[in-house]
Amino acid sequence: MTSMCFYFQVHQPFRLRNYSFFDIGKDHNYEDLEKNRAVMNKVAEKCYLPANRKMLELIRRHEGKFRISYSLSGTVIEQFEKYRPDVLQSFIDLANTGCVEFLGETYYHSLSFIHSRKEFKRQVEKHSAIIKKYFDQTPKIFRNTELIYNNQLAAFVESMGFKGVLCEGVGRLLNERSPNFLYRPVIGDPKIKLLLKNHLLSDDIAFRFSDKGWEQFPLTVDKFSEWVFKIAGHGETVNLFMDYETFGEHQWESTGIFDFLDHLPGAILKHPDFCFKTPSEVVEAYPARDVYDAHDFISWADTERDLSAWLSNSMQREAFRRIYSLEEEIRNCDDLQLTEDWEKMQTSDHFYYMCTKFWNDGDVHKYFSPYDSPYDAYMFFMNAFSDLECRLAEIRERKKRIYSYTVELEKTPEARSIPLNGNEPEYAQTGS
Amino acid sequence: MLGWEFPPIINGGLGVACHDLSAAMSDVSDITMIVPKSSKGYKVRNVNLLGINNIDPGSLEPGPAHKDLPFKLYGVPANIDPYYSEKQHFSGEGRSKGTLDPFDIDNLYGGDVIGKVHRYSAITASLAAKMDFDVIHAHDWMTMLAGMQIKARTGKPLVMHIHSLEVDRSGPESKGWVYQLEKKGMEYADLLMPVSNFTASNIEQYYGIHRNKMKIVHNGSNKVQPFKGQRTYREKTVLFVGRLTRQKGPEKFLDIASKVLDSNPEVRFVMAGTGDYMKSLLDQSSYQHIGNRFHMTGFLGSERLNHLLSISDVYCMPSVSEPFGLSAVEAAQFRVPCVISKQSGVAEVLRGALKFDFWDVDKAAGYILHLLKDDVFNRKVVEDTGKCLDKISWDISAQKIIDAYSEKKFI
C-alpha cells in the first residue's frame, strides 16, 4: 500500500510598516496594521475559506479516507483571532473530523534554530500550546520554518518528543534515491523518521499548475494520478508539501485549481493500492529505509534549497545578528509587549524581503514583499530595531534607578519607613 | 542674469543661491533674471523674474543661433546629470532651425538636457536682444551657452558665476561635452566669479584659465532662527546632508562612522539625502555591522531638515570636491559643530570649523569623538564658528559683485 501524504503550510507574518528614522524613540508601533488586515481578508476570501470548505466536503464525501495535515504558524493564528475568527473556526471544524493532523513549528515562523536552541525550544512549546488550545491535539510531527533542516535539528526535536520531521527531498542529498520512502537522520541512534517532500509532484501543483509554458499544461487529475500510480511498487509515501495559499491565491480559482482538488482524492482512491495518510500515520506505518544526511542546512526555498533566501547578503545577516543579540536582555526585561514585539521581528519573512537575489527567485521575493525594494525592507527593520533598543535601554535605566534607591535605603534604616510617593531623593529619580 | 534651477523648482544649492543672490543684488541694481520656469505670481524682491514657460516663443525673432560664436561645440554625450534622476538622452545642437521650440521644463536635468540647454539659449538670446542692460551674468554651465550667444549678439560683457564644475561632479578625468562647454564658456567670458578659492584653483588647474580673470565671491546665507529640538533617543547624533553621490563623499562618512563607533557605540549616524550610492551604503553599513547605528532618511524638506539639525550634535561634510557647501553654514547657524573636508569652499569662510582632508578618515573620526565627549572643546568650536557667520551674507556677496563690475568698468 502506498500512501499520499498532504501537508499544507498556513502562515502570515506581521509585516512592518514604513518605519522611519523620525519614529525612533517616539512610536513603538511597528506593524502595518492596515496592510496585515487587508492581506488577511484577501487571502481568507480567496483561499482559506473556500479551500477549507472544499477539504471538509472531501473528507465527508470520502468518509474519512481523505486525510490531510496542516501547519499553522502562531502569527497566522493570532491574525485569525484578531481579524478572521471565522477562518479559525473553519480550521477547528476540520480538526473535529479526526482526519486532519496539525504539525509543530516555531510560533513565530522564525529562523531561531539557526541561532539559539533555547529560543527555538521556547517558540516550539508556545506553538504546541496554541495548537492544543484550538485543535485539541499535541503536535507529534515537526516541520521547521520553510523546511529548514539539518541533522542537528532532527536530534534536537527528537529530544523534545517529536516522532517525525518534514524536510525537502534535495537532489544532491538523495543522490538518485527516491523521496518516496521514510529516511532516518545521521545522528546517534535515531527513532525519529524523516518525511521527504516529493518536490516534482508537489511543485507540479503548487507552481506549474497554471504555467502555460509548461509542456504538461494543462494538468488534469487523470494525468496527475497516472504519475502518482507509477510509484506503486517502488515507494511507500508520496509527500505532497505546499503552501496552502496555492489554492485560490497563488493559483487563482479561475485556473481550475479547486476542481482539480475536488476530483483528485476520488481518482487516487480508485486505485486499490493507494490511500491517504497523515504524517503521523505514515511514520507509524512504515520503517525508515535509509539515511538522509543533511550536514548543512537545507530548505524548500528558491532554487538553491538552502538558507540563501534569508541569510545570503550582508543586510540580512546584520539584521539577523542584531535581533538575536538582544535575546538574553529581552528574556530578562519582564516587559510583555516589548518581548512580543521582539518575537514578531524574528519572523523569517522580514529577512526574506531583504533578499537581493535578482534572478528568477528574486521575482518570487518581490511578489511577496510589501516594500518597494530589499533596501527599504532593511531600513525599516533596522529603524524599528533601533526603537526596540531604546525601549530596552529605558528599562535598564529604570532597573538601575530602583536598585540604587534600594541600596540607599539599606544604608539609612530610618528611611525604610518613608513610602515611595514620588518625593524620593533626587538620586532615586534620575539615577546616579 | 541667467539662471537654471530656481525656486519653486529647487534641486540643490544652486537654485537657492541664485534666488538669494539675485534678491540681494536687486536692492543695489536692476536685475532681470531669466529662468526656464517660474510661477506667474512668484515675486523675488525687486527682481524682474522671467520664466520662459510664460513666454510664447513664436513672438520672438529667432537669432542666428551659433553663427556668431568663435568656436564650435562638438556633440559628445556627457554624464551631466548632477542629481539623481532618470538617464538623459543626448541630442546634438542644431535643434532650432529658424524656429524657437518651447521645451519641457518640468524635469530640468532629466531627458534631453543638452537639447534643453540649446533651446533655453536660443530663446534667451532672442529675449535679451530686445532688452536694455549693461552686464550678462550667467550661473553655471546650463546657462553658459545662452550667455555666450547674448554676448555675441549684443557685445555686452559676460560674467560667469561658477557654483560647480564638471570636475567636481564627475571627477577630474571628465572631459565630455559639459567640460568642453565650461572651458570654452569661461575662456569666452570677460570675468569669472568662482564661489571659492578652492573652485578658482580648480578652474586654473583643470581648465587652464588664469587667476587674474577671476574674482572670488563666496556665497552668503540667509539667517535662520535656530532652535533646539528634542531627541527621542538617547544616543548623540552625527549628521550628513547631501546627495548620495561620489562628489559628496558619502562612503567616507560611512568609514568615519565605523571608526567612531569602534570607540563610542553610543552614537547615531544619519544621512539625509538620496542618490545612486544609497544601495551600496546600506550594503556596506550592514557589512561593517553598524546597521543599528546608521540611518538613512531619504530626501527631506526644509522643515524636517531643520528639525534634524536641531537635534544633531555634530555636522560632518566629507565632500571630495565641494565648490562651496552651504549646508555647513546652515548647521553652524544651528550651533552644531562642523567637521568638514578641506576640499570645500566653505572651509575658507567657516574658519572655526574642524577640517580634514576628505581621505583622512582617522582625523575626522578623532574630531568627532572629541566633540562628543569634551564639552569645553565642543563649546569653543561652536563659538569660533559662530563668529564667522556675520561675515557670510548675501548682501556682502552682492556688494562684491557690484564692486567687481565697476572695477572692470562694466558699469
Side-chain angles (χ1 to χ4, degrees), chain A residues 20-68:
Chain A
S20 95
F21 166 75
F22 295 100
D23 294 322
I24 299 171
K26 212 161 67 185
D27 192 337
H28 306 321
N29 170 41
Y30 311 144
E31 271 171 56
D32 192 336
L33 297 167
E34 272 311 299
K35 177 101 193 170
N36 290 332
R37 190 211 319 267
V39 173
M40 173 48 76
N41 279 330
K42 189 181 94 176
V43 182
E45 295 301 335
K46 282 175 75 178
C47 165
Y48 299 149
L49 286 178
N52 281 3
R53 254 197 313 272
K54 180 59 69 189
M55 294 297 178
L56 192 62
E57 187 194 323
L58 286 167
I59 288 167
R60 288 185 179 147
R61 193 194 301 164
H62 297 289
E63 295 166 341
K65 288 195 190 108
F66 180 56
R67 312 177 73 78
I68 52 177

Side-chain angles (χ1 to χ4, degrees), chain B residues 182-362:
Chain B
E182 284 177 339
K183 185 165 158 61
K184 303 278 190 206
M186 290 194 285
E187 283 166 355
Y188 188 61
D190 298 282
L191 177 63
L192 305 181
M193 289 187 174
V195 293
S196 62
N197 250 312
F198 173 72
T199 296
S201 307
N202 281 339
I203 295 174
E204 204 170 13
Q205 186 180 348
Y206 298 110
Y207 296 81
I209 294 169
H210 201 273
R211 280 261 180 169
N212 59 15
K213 199 176 161 180
M214 301 180 215
K215 175 87 189 169
I216 290 154
V217 180
H218 285 114
N219 280 348
S221 172
N222 285 328
K223 293 274 169 290
V224 294
Q225 202 54 51
F227 56 92
K228 202 73 201 152
Q230 196 64 43
R231 210 170 41 215
T232 50
Y233 48 85
R234 60 187 63 208
E235 295 81 10
K236 294 198 169 175
T237 304
V238 179
L239 178 64
F240 171 105
V241 178
R243 297 187 311 275
L244 307 181
T245 58
R246 178 202 152 276
Q247 186 191 354
K248 305 287 179 184
E251 77 282 22
K252 295 285 177 296
F253 185 71
L254 184 85
D255 291 344
I256 294 166
S258 221
K259 274 260 152 66
V260 170
L261 288 167
D262 274 349
S263 342
N264 180 359
E266 301 308 308
V267 189
R268 290 191 189 277
F269 288 80
V270 182
M271 297 190 96
T274 183
D276 50 5
Y277 272 47
M278 192 194 94
K279 291 178 180 179
S280 69
L281 286 166
L282 281 173
D283 243 5
Q284 273 300 316
S285 68
S286 55
Y287 185 71
Q288 297 182 15
H289 296 319
I290 57 170
N292 62 330
R293 289 285 182 268
F294 191 81
H295 305 274
M296 299 231 175
T297 67
F299 179 81
L300 294 181
S302 63
E303 201 177 307
R304 282 234 142 151
L305 198 55
N306 284 344
H307 168 70
L308 207 47
L309 282 166
S310 78
I311 61 165
S312 290
D313 299 283
V314 176
Y315 180 82
C316 180
M317 190 183 80
S319 294
V320 171
S321 185
E322 185 70 74
F324 194 74
L326 212 49
S327 59
V329 178
E330 284 163 5
Q333 288 179 334
F334 271 87
R335 300 185 60 78
V336 182
C338 297
V339 179
I340 58 182
S341 87
K342 286 181 190 169
Q343 287 66 39
S344 73
V346 75
E348 297 160 21
V349 290
L350 275 187
R351 292 186 189 279
L354 300 172
K355 300 173 194 75
F356 65 102
D357 287 306
F358 73 84
W359 58 85
D360 197 347
V361 170
D362 286 335

Side-chain angles (χ1 to χ4, degrees), chain A residues 97-112:
Chain A
T97 62
C99 299
V100 177
E101 180 176 6
F102 289 84
L103 311 181
E105 65 167 300
T106 56
Y107 189 96
Y108 293 99
H109 202 78
S110 71
L111 307 171
S112 53

Side-chain angles (χ1 to χ4, degrees), chain A residues 177-247:
Chain A
R177 292 174 300 172
S178 160
N180 306 320
F181 293 99
L182 289 178
Y183 284 83
R184 59 179 171 275
V186 181
I187 47 170
D189 177 24
K191 305 269 177 304
I192 199 161
K193 294 171 184 169
L194 307 177
L195 290 90
L196 270 49
K197 178 180 143 189
N198 183 319
H199 71 84
L200 282 177
L201 289 173
S202 299
D203 294 351
D204 284 343
I205 300 176
F207 296 117
R208 289 181 282 272
F209 184 79
S210 62
D211 179 359
K212 294 196 173 115
W214 180 35
E215 69 268 22
Q216 297 295 343
F217 180 86
L219 183 62
T220 60
V221 167
D222 287 345
K223 200 187 284 179
F224 190 78
S225 33
E226 206 177 293
W227 294 340
V228 173
F229 295 150
K230 277 188 193 156
I231 293 166
H234 35 96
E236 289 169 329
T237 172
V238 184
N239 299 321
L240 299 178
F241 301 166
M242 62 197 74
D243 280 336
Y244 200 34
E245 291 82 8
T246 299
F247 302 101

Side-chain angles (χ1 to χ4, degrees), chain B residues 2 23 41 44 66 82 111 119 123 180 194 277 284 296 299 349 368 373:
Chain B
L2 307 171
V44 184
H66 310 296
R119 276 170 303 221
I123 295 172
Q180 296 300 332
Y277 272 47
Q284 273 300 316
M296 299 231 175
F299 179 81
V349 290
I368 291 171
K373 68 167 188 240

